[in-house]
Amino acid sequence: MSGDAVLVCEGLDKRYGAVQAVKNVTFSLNEGEILGLVGPNGAGKTTLVDLIAGAQRQDAGYAAIRGSRLSGPPSRRARVNGLARTFQHPQVALELTVRENILIGITAVSLGSVGGLVLSVVKGCLSPDTAAEDRKVASVAASVGLPDITRPCSELTLGELRLVEVARALVAKPSVILLDEPFAGGDVHGVAAVSRALQEVVKTGVSVILVDHNVDLVAALVNRIVLLNFGEILFDGDAKECLASPAMQEVYFGAAHF
Amino acid sequence: MISKLRQRGAWVETFFTLALVLIAIAYIRGDVYLEDVAILVATYSMIALGLYVPFIMGGALSMSYNAYLGIGAYAVAVIASKTGWGFGWGLPIGMALSAAVAVLLGFATRRLSGFFLASVTVLFGVAFTTWLIASAELTGGGAGIPTFPTPVVFGVTLNHTILVSVAMLLVWIVAVLLARLRRSPFGVAVRASRRASIAVEASGIRISTIVLVSLALGAVIASLGGSMFALVNDSVIPESFAIDVVFLTVFTPLLGGQSTPWGAVLGAFLVVLFTFELTMFKETGTLLFALAVLVVLVAAPRGLLGYASSGLRLLTSRLEPR
């Protein structure tokens, strides 16, 4: 099901003082693939996502999408390299509606440059309505199972806020999506809706890294798992093999699998 | 469906406010005292509208709006009195200068926010007034520029009444445009950046750039207000552009309501009412205004218009058949 490598990480290192958060991480993500990135709390999953997205700077190594090395702030990587992400702690403007929060993902392209910003100020004063964009927002929102997009986000549950983030990432039509624990705090319907939306979106050639510490949930969704512990990759391969591997037994000893 | 309703609401707002402004213009026409009050309301409204995008929508409390107001006013006065150019050049030149200053100041303070941003920009505002007084050759120093030629457009002399009416109409135009800008993609991005800046940045929008553009826009609006103020008064003095105009204006959207630029205009009207107009309160007007802000913040945190609109919604939902 997988094609060529879209995202390549090569020897990524990140150290906070005495703590080696990410250690010599090398792996690749193929086109149209959902890759599970699992590991216990503190394994370095979010740090790895931050390094790829540009929220933090690596000490060594690099990440590249379609052969071009990622550099600069997150906004540049989103615009130039087609990278989208969600956050472990949802970053949603609560006083805005669901529609408006998802709209951000679509409008970034036109608001990316100074010229684009000035132009959008003029355009916004004259014709502020976004009918075409709203249709895309509505269809993506429906696909992840968010019914009423006119609600302010302050009325949503934690699970629904995560759905808003996933929708905001999907609507940008990125080539790589980093989902940082999209299921935490979500209910059964939310998990099912996001899973379905991901299966759909990878068919269009989008590649997804799905981060979670719930191995069972991830294993049901993905073919390949990268297992991280203390910043190091312990296993990279078939999901079912990963569940049965000695590395997994050791990492999750007494927790999820025994 | 939703966007249709939203559009209809916007048109109702546009024409209702236009009617209000036209009635006000007709009412005050020819009465010099009322016209003076009106230009004060218009000027405070322009500062408040200037603050609206960067501060109320984006959360960046830059305080140096007295400087932008002053740049707009002095651009008109200096060009009209010291150059042979038409007065009309003062407006765009003032706006461009203000935008440039706002961008430079915004760039220098890009790592600051909240209290520290406010403090540094207050200092800049104070320094601006000092500079106005010090550089007497250009600005006339403490005495300002007492008079300059009355503007003439296509053979029509723009008298006091016409200029006040134009200033009021400009407030209407700017408020209508900002209300539209607020719900456009740019407005949504600015409002989202207030509390979810990491997500806006991760979506591909550079926060530092969008803040600079909002600050420049705010400066342009305040500068336009300053130019109109100078044209109506036919003179400029440094005291008009001291930092305390900003202290009064910062609270206007809190009082009037934050969810629409009209809240800033309503707040500006109340400021002038409390601090200049009500003779019985003249001494204590500022105190009263401060009290009014406190009462509104406690009783109706979304401002008077926010309070009114939720009351209206309650009423209409009661009237609708279920």
Side-chain angles (χ1 to χ4, degrees):
Chain A
M1 75 166 266
S2 50
D4 303 333
V6 175
L7 170 74
V8 174
C9 291
E10 188 67 50
L12 280 176
D13 260 312
K14 178 68 185 179
R15 173 181 283 280
Y16 302 112
V19 181
Q20 183 89 44
V22 168
K23 190 174 176 187
N24 195 23
V25 164
T26 300
F27 73 99
S28 60
L29 172 71
N30 296 321
E31 189 168 321
E33 180 184 32
I34 309 180
L35 172 73
L37 179 62
V38 301
N41 284 326
K45 304 185 295 292
T46 295
T47 304
L48 183 54
V49 168
D50 279 352
L51 293 182
I52 298 170
Q56 299 192 54
R57 197 173 292 177
Q58 67 267 28
D59 299 328
Y62 68 86
I65 288 182
R66 294 192 197 283
S68 75
R69 286 197 187 194
L70 302 179
S71 65
S75 57
R76 187 185 134 82
R77 299 177 190 210
R79 225 170 39 244
V80 178
N81 306 100
L83 190 68
R85 74 169 292 188
T86 67
F87 295 85
Q88 197 177 3
H89 306 287
Q91 300 291 319
V92 173
L94 294 181
E95 62 275 29
L96 270 61
T97 62
V98 173
R99 180 189 70 87
E100 290 172 323
N101 268 291
I102 300 175
L103 187 68
I104 303 282
I106 255 181
T107 55
V109 178
S110 55
L111 298 176
S113 62
V114 178
L117 277 170
V118 173
L119 199 69
S120 66
V121 168
V122 177
K123 196 168 166 281
C125 286
L126 301 176
S127 79
D129 289 299
T130 48
E133 288 90 341
D134 286 351
R135 276 195 291 279
K136 286 183 198 158
V137 167
S139 96
V140 170
S143 78
V144 299
L146 277 167
D148 181 7
I149 59 171
T150 59
R151 280 181 296 170
C153 285
S154 53
E155 290 176 8
L156 304 188
T157 63
L158 178 61
E160 286 175 313
L161 289 178
R162 293 195 188 280
L163 294 183
V164 172
E165 286 218 306
V166 172
R168 185 176 57 207
L170 290 179
V171 83
K173 298 217 177 301
S175 54
V176 174
I177 303 181
L178 313 171
L179 298 177
D180 199 350
E181 306 213 3
F183 303 129
D187 58 11
V188 186
H189 301 294
V191 172
V194 171
S195 309
R196 236 183 356 255
L198 288 183
Q199 305 290 359
E200 282 305 310
V201 76
V202 290
K203 282 183 198 157
T204 64
V206 177
S207 316
V208 179
I209 293 184
L210 180 60
V211 179
D212 216 302
H213 55 249
N214 188 338
V215 187
D216 286 327
L217 200 60
V218 173
L221 272 170
V222 306
N223 294 323
R224 197 177 131 216
I225 282 181
V226 166
L227 172 66
L228 212 59
N229 198 26
F230 296 113
E232 268 184 295
I233 292 183
L234 297 187
F235 185 95
D236 177 356
D238 183 75
K240 288 183 189 68
E241 277 176 39
C242 178
L243 288 182
S245 71
M248 181 60 95
Q249 301 286 340
E250 194 186 311
V251 171
Y252 280 91
F253 183 76
H257 285 270
F258 193 68
Chain B
M1 178 65 191
I2 300 156
S3 71
K4 283 235 175 76
L5 273 178
R6 214 167 40 224
Q7 276 174 2
R8 210 177 65 182
W11 283 114
V12 170
E13 181 184 300
T14 305
F15 288 113
F16 175 69
T17 48
L18 177 62
L20 276 185
V21 169
L22 289 179
I23 290 169
I25 288 175
Y27 179 70
I28 62 166
R29 208 167 65 95
D31 184 327
V32 176
Y33 176 70
L34 283 184
E35 282 179 5
D36 280 344
V37 173
I39 190 63
L40 274 179
V41 173
T43 307
Y44 273 96
S45 295
M46 285 301 229
I47 309 171
L49 290 171
L51 275 157
Y52 189 77
V53 175
F55 176 44
I56 298 300
M57 279 167 55
L61 181 49
S62 175
M63 296 283 282
S64 15
Y65 284 82
N66 66 312
Y68 310 137
L69 192 75
I71 290 172
Y74 273 86
V76 164
V78 168
I79 285 169
S81 63
K82 308 212 166 168
T83 70
W85 311 351
F87 84 100
W89 284 103
L91 285 93
I93 288 175
M95 290 194 259
L97 263 178
S98 296
V101 171
V103 167
L104 285 177
L105 187 64
F107 185 75
T109 57
R110 68 193 180 283
R111 299 212 185 281
L112 304 178
S113 64
F115 172 78
F116 294 102
L117 176 63
S119 315
V120 171
T121 47
V122 161
L123 277 182
F124 181 84
V126 173
F128 175 76
T129 338
T130 314
W131 175 80
L132 279 184
I133 296 170
S135 39
E137 257 177 51
L138 182 70
T139 64
I145 298 172
T147 184
F148 47 85
T150 317
V152 178
V153 173
F154 300 124
V156 180
T157 307
L158 299 183
N159 62 28
H160 200 257
T161 305
I162 294 177
L163 286 168
V164 171
S165 308
V166 169
M168 290 169 77
L169 279 174
L170 278 177
V171 170
W172 176 75
I173 291 171
V174 171
V176 165
L177 291 183
L178 287 188
R180 297 171 77 93
L181 184 65
R182 185 176 185 279
R183 56 201 175 93
S184 77
F186 176 85
V188 171
V190 172
R191 285 187 286 141
S193 69
R194 184 171 185 168
R195 295 220 209 283
S197 60
I198 306 172
V200 176
E201 177 90 32
S203 298
I205 302 167
R206 198 75 200 269
I207 294 293
S208 48
T209 319
I210 206 168
V211 168
L212 284 185
V213 171
S214 333
L215 287 171
L217 179 65
V220 164
I221 295 169
S223 173
L224 180 62
S227 296
M228 289 313 297
F229 182 72
L231 284 172
V232 167
N233 288 328
D234 194 25
S235 66
V236 284
I237 48 167
E239 287 102 274
S240 309
F241 312 104
I243 190 80
D244 37 329
V245 297
V246 185
F247 288 135
L248 278 178
T249 319
V250 161
F251 297 104
T252 54
L254 302 185
L255 190 59
Q258 302 179 36
S259 58
T260 156
W262 289 107
V265 178
L266 176 65
F269 174 73
L270 293 174
V271 167
V272 175
L273 196 71
F274 279 130
T275 54
F276 300 99
E277 164 64 348
L278 296 178
T279 40
M280 55 182 281
F281 297 140
K282 203 147 213 167
E283 299 300 313
T284 51
T286 314
L287 188 66
L288 267 174
F289 177 66
L291 275 177
V293 170
L294 281 179
V295 169
V296 165
L297 283 182
V298 172
R302 290 188 297 137
L304 292 177
L305 283 183
Y307 202 60
S309 75
S310 51
L312 201 68
R313 213 169 300 138
L314 198 71
L315 197 70
T316 49
S317 69
R318 288 269 164 80
L319 292 176
E320 267 169 23
R322 299 213 172 168

